[in-house]
Amino acid sequence: MRFLFYTILLLIALPVFSSGEFQAVDARSRNVPSGLRTPEAISRHLTQHLETDREKARAIFIWITHNIRYDLGLGSSPRRYSSPEEVIREVLARRRGVCHHYATLFQVMSRHAGLESYLISGYTRQKDGKISSMSHAWNGIVIGENYYLLDATWAAGYVHNNRYVHQFRDDHFLITPEKFIATHKPFDPMWQFLTKPLSHHDLLAGNYSAADNNGNFSFTDSIAIHISMDRLPQLQASNRRISQAGTPHPLIRKQLEENQLQITNIYYNTAIEALNSGVDQFNQYVQHKNRQFRNPSISAAQATEMLTAAEKEFTGAQKILDELKTTDRELSQLIATARRRLPGLLQNLQREKQFLAMQLN
């Protein structure tokens, strides 16, 4: 069992913009042969004859924004996904999705093209100046030595009178961090791509003046360290940075809770792996005992070692499970079920250890 993300989205109505800089790339990138159905195949077709990273990013951006429509129904009823692969399969099969579909698809396709891109989650400021009631997802990308941001969801269309208008707008592609922060605020300040990240208090107040000042925060080093980490330390480090930036808005606090839920779930999975490993080792002991420790023959000392290994796994699982707390009902029930299993397993194991001790005397 894995807990990941809710896919939710904000769309705002903005004027339509167009640019002649990518006219040739845009014309070739709106459609691909119908037989191409994987992100790798589509990305390869779009970028194989392009020379610059800027053109490759543009080709992928154009295809996604022209071929993926926003799903209003899914946006109002967010769901969880077990993996990014599940998100990709769904959006390519349905050609519909919400912000996490757009952003995940761009990240996967751009990486197939050899581009350095990131999926970023946060909250947004609408055209009327209000903070959206829903969180959002977009992308960061590195072109040359410069860091840019883009939003394929907002570029693909907008909502008007509770209806989705699929209309491309060219004002959400390769935006500088200093400009993008006015509308898109990452939960984790590392993804602002600023050497002096703004606090959430400043972001909510619309105080962006500090974004123009040089700071000493090396977001490039922080991102490199982040990428090198496993998922658990990534989440823990992200929550520390989010908390340090302040939590003045419910969406920020909700993201902290979601990250903590994923952290708890990782620990739960670790405990279950240990528990199952112990069960496997105990079952192997039982099989040997049922054969009277013959065929193959093992000594009582060897059998004791098997039980000791199983006990180590059981006690390790128990220690993790005893420390887990969550407000999520489903995960809480799973933790409680695992906890209830352990006393009986440990009791059976101690009985067998006593049996072997008598055999050794």
Side-chain angles (χ1 to χ4, degrees), residues 10 16 23 51 55 65 72 86 89 91 100 105 116 131 142 148 150-151 197 219 290 302 311:
L10 166 72
V16 178
Q23 184 174 359
E51 296 182 358
E55 289 176 329
T65 54
L72 280 174
E86 184 183 0
R89 286 194 299 270
V91 69
H100 214 108
L105 185 57
E116 183 180 348
I131 298 297
V142 183
Y148 296 99
L150 57 90
D151 190 335
F219 63 85
N290 290 340
Q302 289 174 315
E311 184 178 30

Side-chain angles (χ1 to χ4, degrees), residues 44-84:
R44 182 170 56 249
H45 177 86
L46 290 168
T47 63
Q48 60 185 339
H49 299 303
L50 300 178
E51 296 182 358
T52 70
D53 288 348
R54 190 178 180 91
E55 289 176 329
K56 292 176 182 178
R58 178 67 177 193
I60 294 168
F61 184 79
I62 289 296
W63 186 85
I64 291 174
T65 54
H66 284 74
N67 289 275
I68 307 300
R69 294 173 178 266
Y70 174 57
D71 188 331
L72 280 174
L74 186 58
S76 60
S77 301
R79 55 163 293 194
R80 291 182 182 274
Y81 293 85
S82 62
S83 67

Side-chain angles (χ1 to χ4, degrees), residues 72-143:
L72 280 174
L74 186 58
S76 60
S77 301
R79 55 163 293 194
R80 291 182 182 274
Y81 293 85
S82 62
S83 67
E85 290 75 20
E86 184 183 0
V87 178
I88 294 296
R89 286 194 299 270
E90 180 177 84
V91 69
L92 289 182
R94 299 180 63 242
R95 296 298 172 94
R96 290 181 178 274
V98 292
C99 61
H100 214 108
H101 291 87
Y102 283 90
T104 302
L105 185 57
F106 181 87
Q107 183 190 33
V108 171
M109 290 179 64
S110 61
R111 290 194 171 182
H112 279 308
L115 304 177
E116 183 180 348
S117 65
Y118 307 99
L119 191 154
I120 302 170
S121 60
Y123 55 102
T124 54
R125 189 179 298 278
Q126 302 180 72
K127 185 181 179 182
D128 60 7
K130 296 180 180 180
I131 298 297
S132 172
S133 61
M134 297 186 296
S135 58
H136 189 47
W138 58 90
N139 296 98
I141 191 166
V142 183
I143 303 293

Side-chain angles (χ1 to χ4, degrees), residues 214-232:
N214 292 325
N216 56 11
F217 175 66
S218 177
F219 63 85
T220 56
D221 290 345
S222 296
I223 291 172
I225 295 172
H226 176 84
I227 293 173
S228 70
M229 291 178 173
D230 291 332
R231 185 58 177 158
L232 177 59

Side-chain angles (χ1 to χ4, degrees), residues 140-319:
I141 191 166
V142 183
I143 303 293
E145 297 181 355
N146 298 314
Y147 283 72
Y148 296 99
L149 297 127
L150 57 90
D151 190 335
T153 311
W154 280 18
Y158 58 91
V159 173
H160 180 66
N161 292 333
N162 295 320
R163 296 185 63 182
Y164 178 65
V165 180
H166 190 56
Q167 186 178 64
F168 178 70
R169 289 90 51 75
D170 203 13
D171 53 342
H172 302 298
F173 179 68
L174 299 189
I175 309 301
T176 62
E178 293 78 11
K179 180 179 180 181
F180 205 72
I181 198 67
T183 54
H184 294 64
K185 299 89 169 51
F187 290 123
D188 186 336
M190 177 180 71
W191 300 114
Q192 294 178 22
F193 295 159
L194 296 173
T195 58
K196 191 175 183 180
L198 301 175
S199 71
H200 287 298
H201 294 280
D202 283 338
L203 292 175
L204 290 168
N207 180 17
Y208 307 120
S209 58
D212 297 326
N213 298 328
N214 292 325
N216 56 11
F217 175 66
S218 177
F219 63 85
T220 56
D221 290 345
S222 296
I223 291 172
I225 295 172
H226 176 84
I227 293 173
S228 70
M229 291 178 173
D230 291 332
R231 185 58 177 158
L232 177 59
Q234 278 186 345
L235 289 165
Q236 292 170 328
S238 181
N239 265 12
R240 286 194 296 269
R241 288 189 294 266
I242 294 172
S243 297
Q244 289 169 1
T247 59
H249 194 277
L251 285 178
I252 304 169
R253 296 190 290 271
K254 183 176 180 180
Q255 184 63 37
L256 283 172
E257 293 172 359
E258 174 65 17
N259 286 353
Q260 185 57 51
L261 176 59
Q262 293 188 47
I263 290 170
T264 302
N265 191 67
I266 291 172
Y267 277 119
Y268 166 77
N269 286 335
T270 301
I272 293 303
E273 289 174 3
L275 192 156
N276 289 339
S277 176
V279 168
D280 288 342
Q281 293 181 70
F282 184 77
N283 286 340
Q284 290 177 27
Y285 160 82
V286 170
Q287 292 173 4
H288 283 290
K289 183 182 179 184
N290 290 340
R291 292 194 296 265
Q292 298 182 338
F293 304 108
R294 300 172 183 170
N295 299 320
S297 296
I298 64 170
S299 67
Q302 289 174 315
T304 300
E305 289 178 1
M306 297 176 67
L307 291 179
T308 301
E311 184 178 30
K312 182 178 180 181
E313 297 285 18
F314 289 154
T315 55
Q318 187 174 51
K319 181 179 180 181

